Amino acid sequence: MPVTWRSRLRLLVGIAISVAFLAVLLTRVDVGGAVREITRADPVLLIGALALVWVEIAIRAQRWRWLLIPHAAVTYPASISYLCIGYFANSMLPARLGDVVRAYLAGRSFGISRLTALGTIMVERIGDGLWMVATALATTATVLAATTLQASAFWLLVAVAVAAAVA
């Protein structure tokens, strides 16, 4: 594939944007303080936390891939790539616009409607919300000492589980 002036320009613009964001980051963050805090962290716990994050991202990428498969032949590496791009954009943009970026880029790349891609992301987010509610209710049910509250929390958990299964 020949290198065109457009691809060179795109590369240079990308590098310029990266440098600009890095400059903004370095002016707003106490780099020395960040380094001190990282060196104070327990390496075993830090590695464990990073491993859990990677497992979570791997599971989310596979889940999103399963949601996309009826619409396009999506590989796991493509799924995890666009998921990470969306998360990165979410960290930079307000109002979870990274999900819109992910839908736009994935839709264009996979040859499906961008609304279809956004729909799979919405289903994924709704599932996340239901999972968080169910986890919070399960935790509440096991922690509370008052039996009446436990019974109420248990039945609320059952209702959420049924609602999640129906959804």
Side-chain angles (χ1 to χ4, degrees):
M1 182 163 121
V3 177
T4 64
W5 68 270
R6 283 184 124 173
S7 61
R8 287 183 182 157
L9 180 63
R10 185 178 293 162
L11 176 66
L12 290 175
V13 169
I15 290 171
I17 290 171
S18 297
V19 168
F21 276 115
L22 184 61
V24 169
L25 173 75
L26 292 176
T27 60
R28 295 177 184 239
V29 173
D30 177 15
V31 177
V35 169
R36 277 191 304 278
E37 292 303 319
I38 290 171
T39 56
R40 285 184 29 200
D42 183 358
V44 173
L45 293 178
L46 189 60
I47 290 169
L50 290 173
L52 286 175
V53 167
W54 277 108
V55 166
E56 184 234 353
I57 288 173
I59 291 169
R60 284 176 181 266
Q62 183 60 43
R63 180 183 64 183
W64 187 45
R65 181 174 171 256
W66 285 334
L67 290 170
L68 286 167
I69 282 179
H71 308 287
V74 178
T75 64
Y76 180 76
S79 172
I80 200 165
S81 296
Y82 286 106
L83 181 79
C84 289
I85 289 169
Y87 284 171
F88 176 74
N90 270 338
S91 71
M92 296 291 176
L93 300 171
R96 304 203 60 84
L97 286 174
D99 291 338
V100 176
V101 169
R102 176 169 45 140
Y104 175 80
L105 294 174
R108 190 178 71 186
S109 175
F110 301 149
I112 60 174
S113 160
R114 287 153 185 88
L115 286 176
T116 300
L118 186 60
T120 61
I121 294 168
M122 302 260 315
V123 168
E124 180 188 18
R125 294 298 184 182
I126 290 169
D128 288 345
L130 289 173
W131 180 253
M132 287 189 327
V133 168
T135 302
L137 289 172
T139 302
T140 301
T142 57
V143 170
L144 288 177
T147 55
T148 10
L149 251 36
Q150 276 185 334
S152 298
F154 172 76
W155 288 112
L156 191 56
L157 176 65
V158 169
V160 167
V162 169
V166 169

